[in-house]
Amino acid sequence: MGYVVLHLDKSPDNEVPMTAHIARTKIPPNAIPSLTYLNEELVEFPEDVADRTEAINHRLEHAGLTRKIGMNQVRVIRVMLTGTQEDMQRIVQEGRLKAWCADNLDWLRKTFGAENVVSAVLHMDEATPHIHAAVVPIVTGERRKVRKEQTDGPDKRKYRTKSASRPRLCADDVMSRIKLKEYQNTYAAAMAKYGLQRGIDGSKARHVTTQEFYRNAIARQQNLQDNIGELLRIEEEKRKAVDYATKQEQTVREELHRTATELNAVKGELKTERLKNSAAEVGTTILDGIGSMIGTSKVKRQEQEIGMLQQEVAARDETIEILQTKIQTIQADHSREQTVMQVRHAAETANLTKRHEKEVSLLKTALSKAVKWFPYFREMIRMESVCRAAGFDDKQTATLIKGKPLEYSGELYSEEHDCKFTVERVTAQITPNPTDKRKLQLNIDKVPFNEWCREKFEKLRHYFSKEPRQFKGHKR
């Protein structure tokens, strides 16, 4: 069982930025632009009132206030209503979102007064569906902080007692500690039917404001950019090191190849030398005796050559050890090269991510301008989904979006009744909604599509109720 989320916040003087945020004339980073068309204004504005800011001012002007509104007075209270993310998604999947919205509006009007609830917008383009409401704190009755009556004196002025029933602007009366707890209790009771309950009383959990969220997001993005720059610098240094190591490796390989050739030659010479040493050991005594007798210089010369060969073998062994050390160094450099490649890959990935975020930002800006310049843009996107759900193909949908009439024969699907209706030569057209000029509607033979589906469904149900035997045992 999830929790309700109810947050009240006193607003500063300027409500234009928040109105732009709620109306999505300025798309925030955490919103999904492709889902913005699902957002809905739940409170109808008075005539000649265009947006939330004007609705707040309209209420203040027509509330019958007798005192001038001070510069430091709170003119509106922002109320955010939602629930745990998993539970809100469940409510949407169960098809209970409209009922949830209606119950939220009912609670707002009963709690703060119907005339004081000047705006309530459902947001469906973020991770969790939620409602932003604007409540003007117009109250009646005696003030909470009544000054204690002072002792009358000869110079004490007498003031006329003001009527307790007159309306006044007072956010402190609405936002008192006792009432805030009462709001949490009554709201949880109203939302209990949706599987939501009140949070823990006295919890230390802290609400993160929208400004704090965006400020933290910008800080994280700045840190990421700094890290990317540092990684690119390291990558450049590693690239130079790899180039130098590659050249060194090529030189060492060439030297290793030459040394291997020489080593093979030395091995051949060593085999020959071992044979000579064996023969020399066998005939050492004879040669010594003969040398002492004949004093030949040939034996001495051979002994000198054997000593030189042994020195060369020792030198070759030392060279082999040096080459083995170089091979180990090359292998270590190769390992570092792989590490450099991994760092380069990470930097390229970060660069691609940054480029993608920039493209997404450009798309968001373009979409925001399109919504601002073309009032029906958002409605046209919604009507495209309605036409496709009804059964029109791409070409037919494009014709309808342009506002042109379309003669159609085939099947039309109703999501409300989960039923398809076969039609012959009907005329479909998208026109402005006569009750709300800001919205569009799909008409079939000049009848709104939902009403047309209801009439067709009632006719089918009436027809089936007359002949039940023909459908005996049939299941939908």
Side-chain angles (χ1 to χ4, degrees):
M1 190 171 184
Y3 296 99
V4 296
V5 176
L6 174 65
H7 181 72
L8 289 82
D9 186 24
K10 294 180 181 179
S11 168
D13 295 339
N14 189 5
E15 274 298 287
V16 174
M18 178 54 69
T19 297
H21 168 83
I22 294 176
R24 292 301 191 249
T25 54
K26 182 178 181 181
I27 304 296
N30 61 319
I32 306 172
S34 60
L35 299 180
T36 301
Y37 74 95
L38 296 174
N39 297 348
E40 183 179 359
E41 174 64 63
L42 304 177
V43 176
E44 184 177 356
F45 293 144
E47 188 176 358
D48 298 331
V49 173
D51 58 19
R52 173 178 172 276
T53 304
E54 293 184 9
I56 296 170
N57 295 329
H58 182 274
R59 172 59 180 152
L60 292 171
E61 293 169 359
H62 296 81
L65 301 175
T66 57
R67 293 184 60 180
K68 183 179 179 181
I69 300 174
M71 294 295 294
N72 60 342
Q73 277 191 277
V74 176
R75 303 185 178 208
V76 65
I77 296 174
R78 301 171 181 172
V79 185
M80 198 271 287
L81 311 98
T82 182
T84 310
Q85 183 175 359
E86 295 77 9
D87 293 274
M88 292 305 302
Q89 295 294 344
R90 171 180 54 78
I91 292 172
V92 174
Q93 293 172 1
E94 292 175 355
R96 304 174 65 191
L97 184 63
K98 289 186 177 180
W100 180 82
C101 292
D103 288 340
N104 274 270
L105 272 180
D106 184 60
W107 179 83
L108 285 167
R109 286 165 175 164
K110 287 180 180 179
T111 304
F112 302 105
E115 294 182 350
N116 291 335
V117 182
V118 298
S119 173
V121 179
L122 171 66
H123 276 179
M124 294 292 293
D125 58 354
E126 297 183 35
T128 304
H130 57 278
I131 293 176
H132 285 285
V135 175
V136 179
I138 303 294
V139 298
T140 56
E142 192 176 44
R143 297 176 179 273
R144 287 192 310 117
K145 299 180 180 179
V146 180
R147 293 183 179 178
K148 293 182 180 180
E149 190 172 341
Q150 299 180 1
T151 305
D152 292 338
D155 298 331
K156 177 67 177 181
R157 288 190 178 185
K158 302 291 184 179
Y159 294 94
R160 184 179 60 184
T161 303
K162 297 177 181 177
S163 173
S165 62
R166 67 184 182 88
R168 53 193 176 83
L169 181 66
C170 184
D172 290 339
D173 283 10
V174 179
M175 296 280 286
S176 67
R177 182 180 296 274
I178 296 175
K179 286 192 175 182
L180 288 175
K181 285 195 173 185
E182 180 183 344
Y183 299 154
Q184 297 290 342
N185 294 332
T186 57
Y187 183 62
M191 296 293 107
K193 67 171 80 173
Y194 300 100
L196 299 172
Q197 62 181 347
R198 191 193 191 286
I200 300 173
D201 191 4
S203 172
K204 300 298 182 181
R206 178 177 173 271
H207 175 76
V208 178
T209 64
T210 305
Q211 291 82 359
E212 289 176 326
F213 174 81
Y214 292 150
R215 185 163 57 249
N216 294 335
I218 292 172
R220 287 194 299 269
Q221 182 179 5
Q222 184 63 41
N223 291 337
L224 178 60
Q225 292 175 351
D226 294 341
N227 292 336
I228 291 174
E230 182 64 19
L231 286 174
L232 291 175
R233 185 186 64 78
I234 295 174
E235 179 190 2
E236 181 63 22
E237 294 179 356
K238 295 294 185 181
R239 185 186 62 78
K240 294 179 180 179
V242 168
D243 292 341
Y244 177 76
T246 302
K247 294 179 180 178
Q248 289 292 104
E249 179 183 3
Q250 185 177 1
T251 303
V252 171
R253 288 184 183 278
E254 293 175 355
E255 185 177 351
L256 182 62
H257 178 71
R258 290 195 302 269
T259 304
T261 303
E262 295 176 358
L263 184 59
N264 290 331
V266 170
K267 287 181 178 179
E269 294 177 359
L270 286 175
K271 289 181 181 179
T272 304
E273 187 61 31
R274 286 172 184 170
L275 292 175
K276 291 180 179 180
N277 289 338
S278 298
E281 290 175 359
V282 172
T284 299
T285 306
I286 300 172
L287 289 173
D288 290 341
I290 295 172
S292 61
M293 288 187 294
I294 62 176
T296 177
S297 61
K298 183 176 182 180
V299 175
K300 293 180 179 180
R301 187 169 57 253
Q302 288 178 347
E303 288 177 351
Q304 292 175 356
E305 290 176 354
I306 291 172
M308 293 176 63
L309 287 173
Q310 289 175 346
Q311 293 177 359
E312 290 180 1
V313 169
R316 294 298 181 184
D317 291 339
E318 184 178 356
T319 303
I320 291 171
E321 290 179 358
I322 294 173
L323 291 175
Q324 289 177 344
T325 303
K326 289 184 177 180
I327 290 172
Q328 293 175 356
T329 304
I330 291 170
Q331 291 175 346
D333 292 340
H334 180 68
S335 176
R336 285 196 296 272
E337 180 182 357
Q338 289 181 339
T339 303
V340 170
M341 294 300 294
Q342 291 175 355
V343 172
R344 181 181 301 174
H345 177 71
E348 290 176 352
T349 302
N351 193 21
L352 289 175
T353 302
K354 182 179 179 182
R355 190 182 308 164
H356 174 70
E357 291 176 350
K358 183 177 181 181
E359 292 175 353
V360 170
S361 177
L362 291 175
L363 289 175
K364 288 180 180 178
T365 303
L367 182 60
S368 176
K369 290 181 179 178
V371 171
K372 180 179 180 181
W373 293 341
F374 304 99
Y376 279 127
F377 182 80
R378 186 179 301 167
E379 278 296 295
M380 292 169 71
I381 295 176
R382 185 178 69 85
M383 294 309 301
E384 180 187 13
S385 301
V386 172
C387 293
R388 291 186 180 279
F392 297 102
D393 57 22
D394 294 344
K395 185 176 180 181
Q396 293 167 342
T397 300
T399 301
L400 291 172
I401 291 297
K402 294 177 182 177
K404 298 180 180 180
L406 173 69
E407 184 174 310
Y408 179 79
S409 298
E411 291 182 341
L412 292 177
Y413 175 74
S414 171
E415 293 183 344
E416 181 180 356
H417 305 94
D418 192 19
C419 181
K420 290 184 178 180
F421 305 103
T422 304
V423 298
E424 186 71 22
R425 298 177 66 85
V426 298
T427 301
Q429 189 174 12
I430 294 177
T431 62
N433 191 321
T435 60
D436 189 351
K437 297 301 183 180
R438 294 173 297 179
K439 295 186 177 181
L440 300 174
Q441 68 178 19
L442 174 64
N443 301 314
I444 305 297
D445 290 335
K446 297 184 179 180
V447 178
F449 182 65
N450 291 335
E451 297 180 10
W452 183 87
C453 290
R454 293 192 190 101
E455 293 176 2
K456 288 289 184 180
F457 186 79
E458 290 298 326
K459 289 180 180 180
L460 287 175
R461 186 168 63 177
H462 182 68
Y463 177 78
F464 290 156
S465 64
K466 288 183 178 180
E467 300 181 6
R469 293 182 180 180
Q470 296 182 7
F471 300 89
K472 186 176 182 181
H474 176 71
K475 296 182 179 179
R476 287 189 64 189

